[in-house]
Amino acid sequence: MKVTVNRKAHFNAAHRLYRSDWSEEKNLSVFGKCSNKNFHGHNYEVIVGVTGEIDKETGYVIDIKILKDLIKTEIEDAFDHKNLNIEVPEFKKLNPTAENIVVVIYNKLFKHMAANHKLEVTLYETPRNYVKFSGKS
Amino acid sequence: MKVTVNRKAHFNAAHRLYRSDWSEEKNLSVFGKCSNKNFHGHNYEVIVGVTGEIDKETGYVIDIKILKDLIKTEIEDAFDHKNLNIEVPEFKKLNPTAENIVVVIYNKLFKHMAANHKLEVTLYETPRNYVKFSGKS
Amino acid sequence: MKVTVNRKAHFNAAHRLYRSDWSEEKNLSVFGKCSNKNFHGHNYEVIVGVTGEIDKETGYVIDIKILKDLIKTEIEDAFDHKNLNIEVPEFKKLNPTAENIVVVIYNKLFKHMAANHKLEVTLYETPRNYVKFSGKS
Amino acid sequence: MKVTVNRKAHFNAAHRLYRSDWSEEKNLSVFGKCSNKNFHGHNYEVIVGVTGEIDKETGYVIDIKILKDLIKTEIEDAFDHKNLNIEVPEFKKLNPTAENIVVVIYNKLFKHMAANHKLEVTLYETPRNYVKFSGKS
Amino acid sequence: MKVTVNRKAHFNAAHRLYRSDWSEEKNLSVFGKCSNKNFHGHNYEVIVGVTGEIDKETGYVIDIKILKDLIKTEIEDAFDHKNLNIEVPEFKKLNPTAENIVVVIYNKLFKHMAANHKLEVTLYETPRNYVKFSGKS
Amino acid sequence: MKVTVNRKAHFNAAHRLYRSDWSEEKNLSVFGKCSNKNFHGHNYEVIVGVTGEIDKETGYVIDIKILKDLIKTEIEDAFDHKNLNIEVPEFKKLNPTAENIVVVIYNKLFKHMAANHKLEVTLYETPRNYVKFSGKS
């Protein structure tokens, strides 16, 4: 009897789509205005879903306060009001597309998950564009 | 060729996280301010999804009016403007966590489902916290 | 390592629930006010999800600009500010229920999908009613 | 000490922008695709605001249930699942632009307002376009 | 050149509409199910707007962090996860209608406002019902 | 009989709160993490409201398509996917706080307004922080 518990959070960050091993011209031709060398930014909204059995004693799958604190420590503190390309180590050599960011978030949270919990992360780059990742399948 | 039809509804209720077989102290230490003995409350939003084949004759999986009425009778009439702990029989001995509420809602609706329909229930406790249940797997 | 990329779009259209091989009376008795012979209408919101591997080179599953343009050409240009029953060929003989519309949208987009991409379409008929289709299973 | 009480409601309707004293060509040249002769439609969301003194006895400016019922009788029953041009008498000779609709709604509600209450109506034609009217000034 | 700066916050609370100087019967007949003696509850969303001149030096009307902290101290800490009737002193003898709550919130914040700042408070009791107060006029 | 017509639009941009005539230390001490020298960013949502008489002939206060195109030319093309501090001339010497941005947007649009139209601009920096400006009063 598995239930999924979801928690929303958010962070504001600058980024550009960019590969350092490509020329500026190639970056612009592939990524267009998203590759603007002076950066642009987003209010990222992130939804973290944890699926597992309801604990008989507490009635929780996971204490949402623990999940909230984990998201704060691992994601908000690391990404909020940051430049993803310059200041977040994971994107030093990884292009910060929404797809790559959602996998990075997943991996940062996954190492704290209990073995019997399944994780899914949804990331809104804008209210109109979002991505979802639930681990290797 | 299965389609999922979803209907949103809502109810406003008071609750506290509480086990009657625990002391007040233990309840407070495990559930924190959510266990406030004078209760707090939420605007619960519930999304009921029914998955099944499209009926060739009507073009419906399920008549959404029937689904809307079922949610009204089974969920809104039972939970709206109620104190979940005191006035809803299912929570007399069951801690009304979001996880337990979503399972109770699922069970109340499931007994009305056609055999070839799959049910999923999503429950927003706040705009930032929500849970999802789609039956035993 | 599959990620789902989602893009939201919208179109405004008139429709009525109606089978031309049924009498007006039968249409009204089955579909109620949704069968009003003078039509009613909706702001349809559509979410298109494409699931696939992240391209190592670009960091994209699919360039969201390509997805956006595809939705514009296949869906918005075909449905926006139209009367679905009269002006959209797919509904000449198909009752434009939300269920049937979401399958039509899916089929129009599916023929443009890469072989290794999975497609899912969500269609909001109102903020309270929506349907989802992810292909024959 | 005046407070504004607001209530949201909604109706789904078909319409076209159209003046019967103009040719089809002129209608199309002025109103574009919004003048499609087969109609299109919207999920209209309406917010009704009533400003007045708080009643010392009840703590209400206006009983929201009374406001809700008034909106149902005057607006939802009159407009929902209707073709505004054909079936709503107010638009027989009045072009149903959002601006004209919001004034019609205001006038239908205004005649029920207490003398010391101020009325304001907001009408969303789409989530991106909305109009507001608060009476002649 | 006055700009309004707005900040959203929220709190979850239980309440009932109730006058202690009325009988239970009279309370029920006037306030209906909102007067349920076991309480019900809401996710209240509050929007605080401060209008004033832009400070030439900082480009701020008010530092939003200061506004955020003020809302936390005065409103969230006082109301969140509380029973408004029992635990919030302002409602010991004041019926906690949305109208009365918004005035109480206004008064708690107003005493911290600079003389040249204008305050407006919007309170959502549900996503469909909200009230607004901007001081005595 | 004046009606307000509102149109929503959006742009994504990077910025930092920063005065070039202050030291980095002073900028950081006043603006905190919002002054990060590598920038952060937002999905700005902008609502433009135009108040005026309904044109008897068209039923419009202003053709929303004209308003939409004006916002695209003056605001979206100028700000979207840009670094406000570096690439938008208005902020070369003006700190891009939400307050200053909303005044800049107002001024860029105001010069296109008809003499009998009143303009109001609302700017969401995040879903929780927004500002409003309606001209000098």
Side-chain angles (χ1 to χ4, degrees):
Chain A
M1 212 161 80
K2 295 188 169 180
V3 168
T4 303
V5 174
N6 298 276
R7 174 74 191 172
K8 281 195 196 180
H10 53 270
F11 58 91
N12 312 322
H15 83 148
R16 65 178 296 205
L17 300 189
Y18 177 71
R19 289 186 59 132
S20 56
D21 58 340
W22 285 0
S23 66
E24 279 293 332
E25 290 69 28
K26 180 153 187 199
N27 274 291
L28 275 171
S29 91
V30 173
F31 300 122
K33 64 183 178 179
C34 297
S35 197
N36 176 359
K37 75 178 195 302
N38 295 311
F39 307 102
H40 65 286
H42 299 289
N43 303 324
Y44 291 92
E45 299 271 338
V46 60
I47 303 172
V48 178
V50 176
T51 304
E53 295 285 339
I54 301 179
D55 181 285
K56 284 279 170 35
E57 216 180 348
T58 59
Y60 284 160
V61 167
I62 185 173
D63 185 336
I64 203 115
K65 196 184 168 319
I66 290 173
L67 184 57
K68 180 185 172 185
D69 291 347
L70 178 62
I71 298 171
K72 179 165 190 328
T73 311
E74 285 289 348
I75 311 303
E76 293 176 354
D77 289 354
F79 293 178
D80 190 38
H81 282 75
K82 295 285 172 62
N83 183 308
L84 299 182
N85 302 69
I86 297 175
E87 297 174 300
V88 177
E90 285 84 354
F91 301 111
K92 278 281 157 64
K93 295 189 170 181
L94 182 68
N95 190 7
T97 59
E99 290 93 325
N100 282 335
I101 301 172
V102 79
V103 172
V104 164
I105 291 175
Y106 180 94
N107 289 336
K108 285 171 72 84
L109 297 173
F110 183 74
K111 59 189 184 212
H112 300 279
M113 288 293 118
N116 55 346
H117 280 174
K118 193 177 171 335
L119 179 65
E120 180 176 72
V121 180
T122 304
L123 179 75
Y124 280 77
E125 193 172 76
T126 75
R128 290 153 293 278
N129 298 341
Y130 64 97
V131 294
K132 196 172 285 201
F133 182 58
S134 45
K136 297 184 188 183
S137 55
Chain B
M1 212 162 81
K2 296 189 168 178
V3 168
T4 303
V5 174
N6 298 276
R7 174 74 191 171
K8 281 196 195 179
H10 53 270
F11 59 90
N12 311 322
H15 82 149
R16 66 178 295 206
L17 300 189
Y18 177 70
R19 288 187 61 131
S20 56
D21 58 340
W22 286 1
S23 67
E24 280 293 331
E25 290 69 28
K26 181 156 187 197
N27 274 292
L28 275 171
S29 92
V30 174
F31 301 122
K33 64 182 178 179
C34 297
S35 196
N36 176 358
K37 74 179 196 302
N38 295 311
F39 308 101
H40 65 286
H42 299 290
N43 303 324
Y44 291 93
E45 300 269 338
V46 61
I47 303 173
V48 178
V50 175
T51 303
E53 296 284 339
I54 300 179
D55 181 285
K56 283 281 172 33
E57 217 180 348
T58 58
Y60 284 158
V61 167
I62 185 174
D63 185 338
I64 203 115
K65 197 184 167 319
I66 290 173
L67 184 56
K68 180 184 173 185
D69 291 346
L70 177 63
I71 298 171
K72 179 166 190 327
T73 310
E74 285 289 348
I75 309 304
E76 293 176 353
D77 290 353
F79 293 178
D80 189 39
H81 281 76
K82 297 283 171 63
N83 183 309
L84 299 182
N85 302 70
I86 297 175
E87 297 175 299
V88 177
E90 285 85 354
F91 302 109
K92 279 280 158 64
K93 295 187 170 182
L94 182 69
N95 191 6
T97 58
E99 290 93 325
N100 282 335
I101 301 172
V102 79
V103 172
V104 164
I105 291 175
Y106 180 95
N107 289 336
K108 285 171 73 83
L109 296 173
F110 183 75
K111 60 190 184 211
H112 300 279
M113 288 294 119
N116 56 346
H117 280 175
K118 192 179 172 332
L119 178 65
E120 179 176 73
V121 180
T122 305
L123 179 74
Y124 280 77
E125 192 171 77
T126 75
R128 290 152 294 278
N129 298 341
Y130 64 97
V131 294
K132 195 173 286 201
F133 182 58
S134 45
K136 297 183 187 182
S137 54
Chain C
M1 212 163 79
K2 296 188 169 181
V3 168
T4 303
V5 173
N6 298 277
R7 173 74 193 172
K8 280 197 195 179
H10 53 269
F11 59 90
N12 311 322
H15 82 148
R16 65 178 295 205
L17 299 189
Y18 178 70
R19 288 186 60 133
S20 57
D21 58 339
W22 285 0
S23 67
E24 280 293 332
E25 290 69 26
K26 181 153 186 199
N27 274 292
L28 275 171
S29 90
V30 174
F31 300 122
K33 64 183 178 178
C34 297
S35 196
N36 176 359
K37 74 178 196 301
N38 295 311
F39 308 101
H40 64 285
H42 298 291
N43 303 324
Y44 292 92
E45 299 270 338
V46 60
I47 303 173
V48 178
V50 175
T51 304
E53 295 285 339
I54 301 180
D55 181 286
K56 284 279 171 35
E57 217 181 347
T58 59
Y60 284 159
V61 167
I62 184 174
D63 184 338
I64 203 115
K65 199 187 165 317
I66 290 172
L67 185 56
K68 179 185 173 185
D69 291 347
L70 177 63
I71 298 171
K72 179 166 191 325
T73 310
E74 285 289 348
I75 310 304
E76 293 176 354
D77 290 352
F79 293 178
D80 189 38
H81 281 76
K82 295 285 170 64
N83 183 308
L84 300 182
N85 302 69
I86 297 176
E87 297 174 299
V88 178
E90 285 85 354
F91 302 110
K92 279 281 157 64
K93 295 189 170 180
L94 182 68
N95 190 7
T97 58
E99 290 94 325
N100 282 334
I101 301 172
V102 79
V103 172
V104 164
I105 291 174
Y106 181 94
N107 289 335
K108 285 170 73 84
L109 296 174
F110 184 74
K111 60 189 185 214
H112 300 278
M113 288 294 118
N116 55 347
H117 280 175
K118 193 178 172 333
L119 178 65
E120 180 175 72
V121 181
T122 304
L123 179 74
Y124 280 78
E125 193 171 77
T126 75
R128 291 153 293 278
N129 298 342
Y130 64 96
V131 293
K132 196 172 285 201
F133 183 58
S134 46
K136 298 183 187 183
S137 54
Chain D
M1 212 163 79
K2 295 188 170 180
V3 169
T4 304
V5 173
N6 298 277
R7 173 73 192 173
K8 280 196 196 179
H10 54 269
F11 58 90
N12 311 323
H15 83 148
R16 65 179 294 206
L17 300 189
Y18 176 72
R19 289 187 59 132
S20 57
D21 57 341
W22 285 2
S23 66
E24 280 292 332
E25 290 69 27
K26 181 154 186 196
N27 274 291
L28 275 171
S29 90
V30 174
F31 300 122
K33 64 183 178 178
C34 298
S35 197
N36 177 358
K37 74 179 196 302
N38 295 312
F39 308 101
H40 65 285
H42 298 290
N43 303 324
Y44 291 93
E45 300 271 337
V46 60
I47 303 173
V48 179
V50 176
T51 304
E53 295 286 339
I54 300 179
D55 182 285
K56 284 279 172 35
E57 217 181 347
T58 58
Y60 285 160
V61 168
I62 184 173
D63 185 337
I64 204 115
K65 197 187 167 317
I66 290 172
L67 184 56
K68 179 185 173 185
D69 291 347
L70 178 62
I71 298 170
K72 180 169 189 324
T73 311
E74 285 289 348
I75 310 304
E76 292 176 354
D77 289 353
F79 293 178
D80 189 38
H81 281 77
K82 295 284 171 64
N83 183 308
L84 299 182
N85 303 69
I86 297 175
E87 297 175 299
V88 178
E90 285 84 354
F91 301 110
K92 279 281 157 64
K93 295 188 170 183
L94 182 69
N95 190 7
T97 58
E99 289 93 325
N100 282 335
I101 301 172
V102 79
V103 172
V104 165
I105 291 174
Y106 180 94
N107 289 336
K108 284 171 73 84
L109 296 173
F110 183 75
K111 59 188 186 216
H112 300 278
M113 288 293 118
N116 55 347
H117 279 174
K118 193 177 172 333
L119 178 65
E120 179 176 73
V121 181
T122 305
L123 179 74
Y124 280 76
E125 193 171 77
T126 74
R128 290 152 293 278
N129 297 341
Y130 64 97
V131 294
K132 196 174 285 201
F133 183 58
S134 46
K136 297 182 187 185
S137 56
Chain E
M1 212 163 79
K2 295 188 170 181
V3 168
T4 303
V5 174
N6 298 277
R7 174 74 192 172
K8 281 196 195 178
H10 53 270
F11 58 90
N12 312 322
H15 83 148
R16 65 178 294 206
L17 300 189
Y18 177 71
R19 288 186 60 132
S20 56
D21 57 340
W22 285 1
S23 66
E24 281 292 332
E25 290 68 29
K26 181 154 186 197
N27 274 292
L28 275 171
S29 90
V30 173
F31 299 123
K33 64 183 178 178
C34 297
S35 197
N36 176 0
K37 74 179 196 300
N38 294 311
F39 308 101
H40 64 286
H42 298 290
N43 303 324
Y44 291 92
E45 300 269 338
V46 61
I47 302 173
V48 178
V50 176
T51 303
E53 295 286 338
I54 301 180
D55 182 284
K56 283 280 171 33
E57 216 180 348
T58 58
Y60 285 159
V61 168
I62 184 173
D63 184 338
I64 203 115
K65 195 184 169 319
I66 290 173
L67 185 56
K68 179 185 173 185
D69 291 347
L70 178 63
I71 298 171
K72 178 166 191 327
T73 311
E74 285 289 348
I75 310 304
E76 292 176 354
D77 289 353
F79 293 179
D80 190 37
H81 281 76
K82 296 284 173 62
N83 183 307
L84 299 182
N85 302 69
I86 297 175
E87 297 174 299
V88 177
E90 285 85 353
F91 302 109
K92 278 282 158 62
K93 295 189 171 181
L94 183 68
N95 190 6
T97 59
E99 290 93 326
N100 282 336
I101 301 172
V102 79
V103 172
V104 165
I105 291 174
Y106 180 95
N107 289 337
K108 284 170 73 84
L109 296 174
F110 183 75
K111 59 190 184 213
H112 300 279
M113 288 295 118
N116 55 348
H117 280 176
K118 193 178 172 332
L119 178 65
E120 180 176 74
V121 181
T122 305
L123 179 74
Y124 280 78
E125 194 172 75
T126 75
R128 290 152 294 278
N129 298 342
Y130 64 97
V131 294
K132 196 173 286 201
F133 182 59
S134 45
K136 298 183 188 184
S137 56
Chain F
M1 213 162 79
K2 295 189 170 181
V3 168
T4 303
V5 174
N6 298 277
R7 173 75 191 170
K8 281 196 195 178
H10 53 270
F11 59 90
N12 311 322
H15 82 148
R16 65 179 293 205
L17 300 189
Y18 176 71
R19 288 186 60 132
S20 56
D21 58 340
W22 284 2
S23 67
E24 280 293 332
E25 289 69 29
K26 183 157 185 196
N27 274 291
L28 275 171
S29 91
V30 174
F31 300 123
K33 64 182 179 180
C34 298
S35 197
N36 176 0
K37 74 177 195 302
N38 294 312
F39 307 103
H40 65 285
H42 298 290
N43 303 324
Y44 291 93
E45 299 269 338
V46 60
I47 302 174
V48 178
V50 176
T51 303
E53 295 285 338
I54 301 180
D55 181 285
K56 285 280 172 34
E57 216 180 348
T58 58
Y60 285 158
V61 167
I62 184 173
D63 185 337
I64 204 115
K65 197 185 166 317
I66 290 173
L67 185 56
K68 179 185 174 185
D69 290 348
L70 178 62
I71 298 170
K72 179 167 189 326
T73 310
E74 285 289 348
I75 310 306
E76 293 176 354
D77 289 353
F79 293 178
D80 189 39
H81 281 75
K82 296 283 171 64
N83 183 309
L84 299 182
N85 303 69
I86 297 175
E87 297 175 299
V88 177
E90 285 85 354
F91 301 110
K92 278 281 156 64
K93 295 188 171 181
L94 183 68
N95 190 6
T97 59
E99 291 93 326
N100 282 335
I101 301 172
V102 79
V103 172
V104 164
I105 291 175
Y106 180 94
N107 288 337
K108 285 170 74 83
L109 296 173
F110 183 75
K111 60 189 183 212
H112 300 278
M113 288 294 117
N116 55 347
H117 281 175
K118 193 176 171 337
L119 179 65
E120 180 175 72
V121 181
T122 305
L123 179 74
Y124 280 77
E125 193 171 77
T126 75
R128 291 152 292 279
N129 297 342
Y130 64 97
V131 294
K132 196 173 285 201
F133 182 58
S134 46
K136 298 184 187 182
S137 55

